[in-house]
């Protein structure tokens, strides 16, 4: 049986922020119902061990977020989520009780005007046990150097966590840095959300091999970057995972990734696969 490293489930495509780096979706804004969520869990439980509660939208906005995580535990699924952190003070206490919540990614580069935004996140993170990994993300770098906003964030982190000069230097120069037993800082360059263009670049992709994504309306897509459901592989409400995997479009795209010649126009135009190619080349040196 096919096992994915992760399956993304977009429980909402609604966000409380309007950050410039996030793609503006043309889809209807909605929250996934608990019934649909449980239907999805029943259908995917044998195909992965981890679900990621995001594609677009802010998962902590969902009124049933805690119930959803507990439901996932019922089906022996571990949960990771990505959040802008602006709502963490309202949810941290209950989230910290979810034994199957294994990772929280905080996008610290989000664009908001909330007072004491970072300090509030740092304070709430204390509630989580060693079973939950915390990742502070800085994913809007234009180059290897920290911009002013990222530098300010790192300085606040330095003061709050009493980081050593050596650790601060690592944050400035390395990609993934451990600052405590369960807390990491993850840096990366900003990326462009894929859009269909005339580009037809070659490249390998992990989509369909290690991951698939399920949008808020049940549409299944190859990865978390197909935020508008352009590559519609089927709908989990009407089809099983096995039926979707067996479809001609799925199998054609999967083989095309293996051949480094993506068959879908969106994938041909996507520049994120260039990062994967670069990573694999460096890994094989």
């Amino acid at each position: 049986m096919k096992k994915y490293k992760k399956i993304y489930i977009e429980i909402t495509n609604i966000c409380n922020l309007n950050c410039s780096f996030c793609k503006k979706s043309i889809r209807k804004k909605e929250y996934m119902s608990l019934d649909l969520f449980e239907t999805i869990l029943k259908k995917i439980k044998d195909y992965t061990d981890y679900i990621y509660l995001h594609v677009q939208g802010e998962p902590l906005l969902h009124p049933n977020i805690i119930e959803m995580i507990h439901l996932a535990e019922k089906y022996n699924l571990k949960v990771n989520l990505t959040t802008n952190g602006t709502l963490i003070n309202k949810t941290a206490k209950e989230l910290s009780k979810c034994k199957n919540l294994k990772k929280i990614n905080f996008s610290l580069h989000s664009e908001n005007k909330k007072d004491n935004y970072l300090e509030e996140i740092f304070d709430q993170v204390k509630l989580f046990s060693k079973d939950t990994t915390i990742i502070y993300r800085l994913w809007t770098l234009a180059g290897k150097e920290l911009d002013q906003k990222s530098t300010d964030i790192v300085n606040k982190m330095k003061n709050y966590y009493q980081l050593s000069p050596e650790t601060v230097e690592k944050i400035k120069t390395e990609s993934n840095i451990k600052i405590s037993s369960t807390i990491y800082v993850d840096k990366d360059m900003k990326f462009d959300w894929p859009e269909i263009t005339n580009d037809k670049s070659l490249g390998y992709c992990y989509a369909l091999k290690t991951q698939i994504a399920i949008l808020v309306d049940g549409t299944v897509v190859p990865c978390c970057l197909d935020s508008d459901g352009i590559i519609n592989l089927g709908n989990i409400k009407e089809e099983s995972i096995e039926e979707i995997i067996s479809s001609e479009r799925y199998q054609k795209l999967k083989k095309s990734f293996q051949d480094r010649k993506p068959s879908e126009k969106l994938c041909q135009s996507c520049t994120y696969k260039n990062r994967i190619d670069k990573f694999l080349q460096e890994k094989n040196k």
Side-chain angles (χ1 to χ4, degrees):
M1 180 181 291
K2 170 71 178 177
K3 271 269 191 178
Y4 298 99
K5 183 178 179 181
K6 53 192 171 185
I7 293 180
Y8 292 89
I9 304 176
E10 181 187 65
I11 59 174
T12 182
N13 59 347
I14 301 170
C15 189
N16 58 329
L17 299 180
N18 188 29
C19 301
S20 60
F21 56 80
C22 199
K23 186 177 180 182
K24 306 302 180 280
S25 177
I26 59 175
R27 292 182 288 132
K28 174 186 174 184
K29 301 297 183 183
E30 56 186 311
Y31 294 103
M32 182 178 286
S33 70
L34 274 175
D35 286 343
L36 175 55
F37 185 71
E38 186 162 18
T39 294
I40 291 170
L41 297 182
K42 289 177 181 177
K43 290 186 175 185
I44 69 171
K45 62 183 177 63
D46 294 326
Y47 291 87
T48 190
D49 296 319
Y50 282 89
I51 58 173
Y52 284 58
L53 299 186
H54 66 280
V55 172
Q56 283 202 313
E58 170 50 55
L60 298 188
L61 269 178
H62 201 294
N64 303 118
I65 178 67
I66 304 301
E67 293 168 84
M68 287 176 155
I69 296 174
H70 286 311
L71 262 179
E73 185 176 15
K74 174 183 173 182
Y75 292 96
N76 297 314
L77 290 165
K78 302 176 182 69
V79 175
N80 293 350
L81 62 85
T82 295
T83 173
N84 59 44
T86 55
L87 304 173
I88 192 63
N89 64 319
K90 299 179 180 180
T91 52
K93 187 174 181 180
E94 292 303 314
L95 283 173
S96 67
K97 298 176 184 177
C98 298
K99 297 179 181 179
N100 60 325
L101 180 58
K102 295 303 178 182
K103 183 189 294 184
I104 305 178
N105 299 306
F106 288 96
S107 298
L108 298 188
H109 45 265
S110 64
E111 297 165 4
N112 69 89
K113 298 179 180 179
K114 189 173 184 179
D115 293 336
N116 301 317
Y117 165 63
L118 294 173
E119 291 81 358
E120 191 172 85
I121 292 175
F122 298 157
D123 286 341
Q124 297 302 317
V125 159
K126 293 177 183 177
L127 297 175
F128 292 88
S129 72
K130 63 181 180 180
D131 294 325
T132 302
T133 299
I134 304 297
I135 309 290
Y136 293 141
R137 279 183 172 182
L138 297 172
W139 275 26
T140 53
L141 307 182
K144 293 184 178 180
E145 299 294 325
L146 293 173
D147 58 15
Q148 187 57 54
K149 180 177 180 179
S150 297
T151 299
D152 292 342
I153 291 173
V154 171
N155 285 335
K156 288 188 177 183
M157 225 179 274
K158 171 189 173 183
N159 294 333
Y160 189 93
Y161 287 104
Q162 296 295 294
L163 301 179
S164 68
E166 292 78 13
T167 300
V168 173
E169 186 59 30
K170 283 185 179 181
I171 294 175
K172 291 179 179 179
T173 58
E174 299 178 16
S175 297
N176 190 276
I177 307 93
K178 187 174 184 177
I179 64 173
S180 81
S181 60
T182 60
I183 302 175
Y184 296 78
V185 179
D186 193 13
K187 285 167 45 196
D188 208 340
M189 294 176 63
K190 61 184 177 182
F191 62 88
D192 295 321
W193 288 83
E195 293 184 2
I196 293 177
T197 67
N198 292 323
D199 296 335
K200 291 188 177 182
S201 63
L202 303 177
Y204 182 78
C205 184
Y206 292 128
L208 305 187
K209 180 178 181 180
T210 65
Q211 63 176 276
I212 55 172
I214 302 171
L215 302 183
V216 69
D217 65 351
T219 299
V220 177
V221 293
C223 77
C224 61
L225 294 183
D226 186 1
S227 59
D228 282 323
I230 293 172
I231 308 173
N232 186 336
L233 299 173
N235 195 294
I236 199 72
K237 287 188 286 189
E238 292 90 25
E239 301 170 83
S240 68
I241 290 291
E242 194 57 44
E243 287 173 319
I244 291 168
I245 289 174
S246 302
S247 70
E248 181 180 351
R249 190 175 193 181
Y250 183 107
Q251 290 297 323
K252 181 179 179 181
L253 181 58
K254 180 182 177 182
K255 186 179 186 306
S256 74
F257 285 145
Q258 294 170 347
D259 297 337
R260 299 185 67 255
K261 297 178 181 178
S263 60
E264 295 284 347
K265 289 183 179 180
L266 184 70
C267 302
Q268 293 168 3
S269 308
C270 179
T271 58
Y272 200 85
K273 64 183 182 294
N274 300 337
R275 296 190 184 197
I276 299 173
D277 266 352
K278 183 179 179 182
F279 169 77
L280 292 175
Q281 289 171 10
E282 291 177 349
K283 183 179 179 180
N284 294 328
K285 282 183 179 178

